[in-house]
Amino acid sequence: MTDEERDWDRPDDPAAVREALIEWYEDDHREFPWRRTDDPYAILVSEVMSQQTQLDRVVEAWEAFLERWPTTAALAATDRADVVGFWTDHSLGYNNRAKYLHEAAQQVESEYDGEFPTTPAELQELMGVGPYTANAVASFAFNNGDAVVDTNVKRVLYRAFDVPDDDTVFETAANDLMPADRSRVWNNAIMELGGVACGQTPRCDEAGCPWREWCRAYETGDFTAPDVPTQPSFEGSRRQFRGRVIGTLREYDDLDLDTLGHRIRVDYAPDGEYGREWLEGLLEDLAADGLVELETGPNGETTARLKR
Ligand code: SF4
């Protein structure tokens, strides 16, 4: 085992972790038109545009670009100034990206006979295509990529599996988690998780994060991340306490309400503001989410345990 492999909290059951994320993604995700195509050219255009511009705004520009230059051949044959003009008109950020895209289209035409290369290594030979974009195109067009590691993915891995802030370890962990031959759905899913659930301010419960039962941050309430150096503020601290309940129940077979309450907050008082009623509400939510089981004993006392 190398240092990189030892350095993070690899899940005991990676198959369950993978399945949960793919199911969550397939059940519901944001619809972007480039997610409905496997045309490498259209995907490359979307990736280059998305580097600097909010995804919602990219949609219109992407559609207009492809209407004007529907193929690499069409783009390669046009004047570079027209491509740069389009970039400026649509406020797409650095003009260099337009130049590189034009150059890449010419490379595909002249060096690859108009057929896109299919591996991340070859794709990186195209002008302006770095490791991230190469993997994204290889995955989304050809289902042939390595794991994509961007800021969103780093944040998720850091929080969920304690992956240290080190690019080599992030890459090892991301590839280790990715199921074989499923880079298209996997990379889409983990980026979606980082985009809609595990943002700088996480929305673990609201977004129904499928990794709550394994996530270290959810358990400990520490949601810092490489791009979130201080604890993000929430509307309330309910989420942290949910994490503490899960973390505490993991240590015991089951616990009665008051014992659990005292373990998760110092100001717990059975009849106080943060007492049994408050804790029952928290536990009922966790039970509704399938994370906890509640049992009522012969004298009406409630015990809680993790759902296994
Ligand atoms: S449980 Fe929360 S912190 Fe953990 S991976 Fe999911 S969204 Fe991120």
Side-chain angles (χ1 to χ4, degrees):
M1 192 184 271
T2 65
D3 280 352
E4 284 84 26
E5 282 167 335
R6 231 179 275 120
D7 241 339
W8 61 290
D9 193 4
R10 178 181 278 101
D12 293 336
D13 186 357
V17 168
R18 292 176 185 132
E19 199 182 322
L21 178 58
I22 291 175
E23 232 172 66
W24 173 85
Y25 174 75
E26 287 183 337
D27 191 44
D28 186 27
H29 55 254
R30 294 170 299 177
E31 271 300 328
F32 293 115
W34 47 86
R35 282 185 169 164
R36 291 194 293 266
T37 179
D38 57 8
D39 173 0
Y41 166 65
I43 290 167
L44 177 64
V45 174
S46 76
E47 288 296 336
V48 175
M49 286 184 175
S50 311
Q51 285 167 12
Q52 292 238 300
T53 310
Q54 293 237 319
L55 290 186
D56 294 339
R57 282 183 41 228
V58 169
V59 174
E60 202 191 310
W62 181 79
E63 284 170 345
F65 193 95
L66 292 179
E67 203 177 302
R68 187 148 167 204
W69 300 293
T71 59
T72 43
L75 184 62
T78 201
D79 272 350
R80 185 158 298 179
D82 288 345
V83 189
V84 172
F86 179 99
W87 217 255
T88 311
D89 291 349
H90 289 79
S91 311
L92 288 165
Y94 294 127
N95 287 346
N96 271 350
R97 294 190 201 280
K99 293 182 194 160
Y100 293 160
L101 198 51
H102 186 234
E103 176 92 24
Q106 290 181 331
Q107 271 177 284
V108 171
E109 288 305 304
S110 63
E111 292 170 29
Y112 296 91
D113 263 350
E115 291 284 327
F116 257 77
T118 59
T119 65
E122 286 176 299
L123 284 157
Q124 269 196 69
E125 298 292 315
L126 298 178
M127 191 66 189
V129 175
Y132 164 79
T133 307
N135 258 335
V137 175
S139 302
F140 305 146
F142 305 112
N143 194 29
N144 189 33
D146 297 322
V148 160
V149 179
D150 66 358
T151 323
N152 280 341
V153 172
K154 285 183 186 175
R155 193 185 318 114
V156 173
L157 295 179
Y158 183 95
R159 284 176 175 158
F161 303 116
D162 217 1
V163 179
D165 186 8
D166 175 308
D167 284 349
T168 314
V169 192
F170 274 130
E171 226 165 84
T172 309
N175 279 302
D176 196 278
L177 281 173
M178 185 171 82
D181 303 324
R182 303 207 66 189
S183 62
R184 178 182 287 138
V185 69
W186 180 260
N187 283 326
N188 263 319
I190 195 163
M191 290 201 294
E192 182 79 355
L193 188 66
V196 309
C198 203
Q200 294 201 332
T201 298
R203 299 174 58 249
C204 318
D205 298 323
E206 297 94 311
C209 176
W211 281 359
R212 281 171 290 180
E213 63 179 285
W214 298 285
C215 178
R216 180 198 53 105
Y218 193 78
E219 180 180 334
T220 60
D222 176 1
F223 292 94
T224 53
D227 62 331
V228 189
T230 50
Q231 182 76 345
S233 57
F234 298 109
E235 318 85 68
S237 55
R238 196 172 170 84
R239 200 170 293 129
Q240 278 99 321
F241 284 111
R242 287 176 54 113
R244 277 187 210 168
V245 167
I246 301 283
T248 307
L249 289 178
R250 222 170 246 165
E251 319 253 313
Y252 300 88
D253 286 340
D254 55 28
L255 283 179
D256 65 85
L257 274 191
D258 290 346
T259 312
L260 176 62
H262 285 300
R263 285 187 194 278
I264 65 164
R265 63 186 304 160
V266 282
D267 55 350
Y268 180 85
D271 298 312
E273 189 186 351
Y274 296 111
R276 282 185 199 140
E277 213 181 278
W278 169 84
L279 184 54
E280 266 167 358
L282 205 62
L283 287 167
E284 275 160 18
D285 283 357
L286 286 164
D289 288 339
L291 296 168
V292 159
E293 277 176 340
L294 299 176
E295 200 174 291
T296 309
N299 303 319
E301 74 280 5
T302 301
T303 50
R305 73 171 65 88
L306 270 197
K307 191 153 183 189
R308 304 209 185 258

